[in-house]
Amino acid sequence: MQAANLSINGVLGHSFLVIGLVASIFGALSLAYGTRVGDRRLLRSAPNYAWLSGATAVAAFATMIHALVTRDFSLAYVQQVGSRSTPALYNVTAAWSALEGSILLWLTVLAGYTTVIMRKYRKRLDDPLIAWALVVMFVVTAFFFLLSFGPADAFRSGAPGVTDGPGPNPLLQNHVLVLFHPPILYLGYVGFTVPFAFAIAALITGRVGEGWLLVTRRWALFAWGFLTVGIILGGWWSYEVLGWSGVWAWDPVENASFLPWLTGTAYLHSVLVQERRGMLRVWNLSLLIATFALTILGTFLTRSGVIKSVHAFSNSTIGPFLLAFFGVVVVVSLSLIAWRGDRLRSPGAIDSPISREGAFLANNVLFTVFAFVVLLGTVFPLIVEALQDRQIAVGPPFFDELSMPIGIALLFLMAVAPVLPWRKASGELLRERLFVPAWCGVLALLASILVGANGLAPLLAFGLAGFAAGAAGRQVALATRRQGWRGFVGRANGGMIVHLGVILVAVALTASNSYTHVGEFTMQQAQPVTFSGHTFELQQVTAFTTPRSKGLQAEISIDGGQAYSPAITRYTTMGTDIGTPSVRTGFANDIFLTLEKAANAGATEVQVKIFIKPLIVWLWIGGALMAIGTVLAGFPGRRRNPLLPTSADVVGLPVVGLPVVGLPVVGTPVPVEEQSASV
Amino acid sequence: MTDKWKQLKQWPGWVVLGVVAVALLAFGSIRESGPRTSEERVEEISKQLACPICDGESVFESRNTASVAIRIQIKADVSAGAMGDDDIISKVAQVYGARVLLVPQATGIDALVWALPVAALVCAVAGLIVVFRRWKRAADTVPTADDRALVETAIREGLDES
């Protein structure tokens, strides 16, 4: 029976991958050649290849799940991450708990995107922009099919006679979030392939105006939204599972997901300048190319074994493939930009730095420098080792120190930018619009001091957070007053909801990083311990056993109420002790308990660490608000008022948008308030 | 009331706002939060040291035996009270090497990791200033008589069509 499984899963998996690889190559060739020679028959055949590559990727992934759930230990991957004692849920999530499976997940998501894009644009394949974008999607998909078939082969046969395995890393089998965090993160990470593909297609076809931006803006937003949610869920998982009470460790793998988020966020802002003013064409293309290239570079750094990471998988031969692909992406993209240099020169100019577009430029500088800091800190140990054959580490204190001033500057921009009009703002207008938001900032500062906050940096952050919240709230209030419920939807209005979410995240991170209290206690039964205004009492120590682990948990009551149970689990196959925290969540603060030492079941004394973490729950609420805001931003907002001086020319209306630099724009006067609110 | 509110939003209101904000920041910045507990000192120190044998974890996060041993040593040094945080970190680095320092040193080639971000920011801001000046020069161009005629024609045509 086992031998039959071997042939079915391994052979089926390989077969699906080969068919998918061939389909992707044929898809790319048929679109490229069909567009080149104008052969409609070839173009019409392309959707079949997309369906085939999508279906085979899904089938290959389903085969892997089947192999894991049925414990097919004839496959090397199942031997590595499978186990007979692992519960079914974690046998499914084991699919992405190591290198080969995670590349297979990447491939499945990517082939899915290619199929969805093909489905959406199947009737416009004779448009070269669409056709070339799909060629790029097919080429990237083919590359990942190749990886899955070659250096990251999940269907390779394992050593004979193996009947059980260790299961996934213990940390990957004790929280349900492991089911959601990686797939959602990949939906975002891989999703940036779509705008990248359209950017390359725009360069190839020479249609570098604003048309391709309009096609891809929702895809970029979609990818960004999923990446955001994936990162937040990763932080939540870390908080709930790892015993150090933190949400972000600046680990290279975390940085690899954060880098495209930073450049993607910069793009979502600067693209508005191009749509509105036709400017920053090269910059926007560069940001999209950088975002995609960073996903490949990040994967190379963390999956090839060149950088040590708590998330890193074992060394593999995948590194040279990813590095070569990264090189191809960068060289091809830069060559295309150089080739199309003449068409990329933007008309017009930014009139004043004190304007919406000026603020977006400043925002882009900050996000780009932020990305540079994160990339530099991540690769610097490699550089030093290469140059001086010496090992050094660049850890969280470095990233915290440099990200703090950047974060504060970004909060300031978030406060000012939403109220700025396009083109130019007068001092009087700024004083008028920023007055109430600025007082919101002062009130936030006062409230922070009244509840005991101190320190210049955290207070600045709280004050600016209040300022930014006031500005975002003002925009939402104005929009809803004018448009009713539609004041919540559309890019500008949804973007303000996202800003409110970011502000909550910033406040939660600042408070929890600056004011966490921690104490370690030897706790005895019937002898309550008081710490930071709370009373803790050990009730009892109990033992638990599962087929894969055994452990001890201490039941500790907080303030005479419900008991919480931090535990230490020993996974029998790995012999590793894993601490599982227990958290009492509250709006003001969380009480985070970890069991440090316990002798045995029934012991009357334990060693416990207590963390009092202020406002941390607002990090998750802020993340949810960001997700909601992204969805709202994806809905079509109110159509832009064509009477606006900054709108494109509209025939038949008494407005003339003049391309001649320096000439006044003539048109029906529009109240300044309206100008700023309709982005 | 509306006029008063409008007046308030001009300079007097902003001056009051600035004074209040600076006073609050100054008060909050110099206010002490009380002495750190020994656990908080241990946490702060152990967050600046890398686990010497595991991948990508600090001594604070890691449950590895080497990290546990370093934490015990840090606790003992903190309890003894004779050494500052930097002295305790240096002591651990002497045993395990500079590779356990999570804060890069500001000497030699290591200093580049601090200097390059500052250089990048300076270059980016300088680039922005140059670009804005160029745009301003372009915007300051005086329109010619032909330009004005073109505009007037375009306006006329626009009005006729409407």
Side-chain angles (χ1 to χ4, degrees), chain A residues 221-289:
Chain A
L221 194 64
F222 183 83
W224 183 88
F226 273 108
L227 189 56
T228 304
V229 173
I231 289 173
I232 297 274
L233 285 182
W236 196 8
W237 174 84
S238 163
Y239 182 69
E240 294 283 338
V241 169
L242 307 176
W244 59 285
S245 85
V247 297
W248 190 260
W250 296 105
D251 177 83
V253 170
E254 294 171 348
N255 294 350
S257 66
F258 193 44
L259 281 167
W261 187 88
L262 289 170
T263 50
T265 308
Y267 169 76
L268 288 180
H269 289 89
S270 65
V271 72
L272 295 170
V273 181
Q274 185 174 347
E275 282 182 27
R276 188 82 171 197
R277 305 287 309 274
M279 301 178 66
L280 308 182
R281 288 176 177 176
V282 177
W283 179 245
N284 283 323
L285 284 165
S286 305
L287 278 177
L288 275 183
I289 290 162

Side-chain angles (χ1 to χ4, degrees), chain A residues 504-672:
Chain A
L504 285 182
V505 169
V507 167
L509 285 176
T510 305
S512 63
N513 286 345
S514 305
Y515 308 117
T516 291
H517 288 292
V518 54
E520 191 166 342
F521 301 93
T522 301
M523 219 176 260
Q524 292 172 332
Q525 267 180 343
Q527 290 185 17
V529 168
T530 302
F531 178 63
S532 204
H534 296 279
T535 308
F536 303 86
E537 186 174 346
L538 174 66
Q539 305 291 321
Q540 59 176 335
V541 178
T542 55
F544 60 89
T545 309
T546 71
R548 61 207 161 107
S549 64
K550 56 184 180 179
L552 294 170
Q553 66 183 20
E555 289 177 22
I556 296 164
S557 66
I558 300 176
D559 297 331
Q562 187 189 335
Y564 290 81
S565 308
I568 296 176
T569 308
R570 169 156 293 195
Y571 285 81
T572 41
T573 49
M574 295 203 170
T576 318
D577 281 346
I578 302 291
T580 306
S582 186
V583 187
R584 189 181 91 169
T585 302
F587 287 116
N589 56 45
D590 276 13
I591 299 175
F592 187 100
L593 302 172
T594 59
L595 180 60
E596 298 296 308
K597 202 193 284 180
N600 47 43
T604 55
E605 184 181 288
V606 293
Q607 204 168 330
V608 174
K609 211 182 245 184
I610 304 169
F611 298 79
I612 310 291
K613 298 193 72 74
L615 302 184
I616 195 80
V617 73
W618 294 97
L619 178 55
W620 324 126
I621 296 172
L625 205 53
M626 287 173 76
I628 292 167
T630 309
V631 173
L632 293 173
F635 278 102
R638 197 175 68 160
R639 290 185 71 81
R640 188 189 299 169
N641 184 350
L643 290 176
L644 293 184
T646 44
S647 293
D649 300 0
V650 178
V651 176
L653 288 172
V655 173
V656 183
L658 294 173
V660 184
V661 173
L663 287 179
V665 176
V666 181
T668 309
V670 176
V672 186

Side-chain angles (χ1 to χ4, degrees), chain B residues 75-156:
Chain B
K75 254 183 222 173
D77 289 338
V78 166
S79 300
M83 296 167 78
D85 291 5
D86 291 342
D87 300 326
I88 296 172
I89 290 168
S90 301
K91 185 178 162 186
V92 176
Q94 276 171 7
V95 177
Y96 294 96
R99 69 197 166 90
V100 298
L101 297 174
L102 286 175
V103 183
Q105 292 169 319
T107 54
I109 196 173
D110 297 10
L112 279 178
V113 78
W114 296 104
L116 285 176
V118 178
L121 183 64
V122 169
C123 288
V125 172
L128 265 190
I129 291 171
V130 168
V131 170
F132 271 115
R133 281 198 174 162
R134 193 179 298 160
W135 276 328
K136 189 167 178 355
R137 266 202 305 277
D140 287 344
T141 309
V142 180
T144 63
D146 287 347
D147 292 337
R148 291 189 182 282
L150 185 72
V151 173
E152 279 167 16
T153 311
I155 294 169
R156 253 197 317 277

Side-chain angles (χ1 to χ4, degrees), chain A residues 114-158:
Chain A
T114 307
T115 311
V116 170
I117 295 289
M118 179 63 86
R119 158 102 186 130
K120 185 168 173 56
Y121 298 110
R122 65 190 184 285
K123 290 178 182 162
R124 290 173 56 190
L125 291 177
D126 50 354
D127 179 347
L129 182 79
I130 303 290
W132 281 108
L134 277 158
V135 170
V136 176
M137 296 288 298
F138 270 127
V139 168
V140 181
T141 309
F143 172 72
F144 275 89
F145 267 116
L146 194 67
L147 282 186
S148 293
F149 195 68
D153 180 5
F155 295 101
R156 186 168 48 85
S157 296

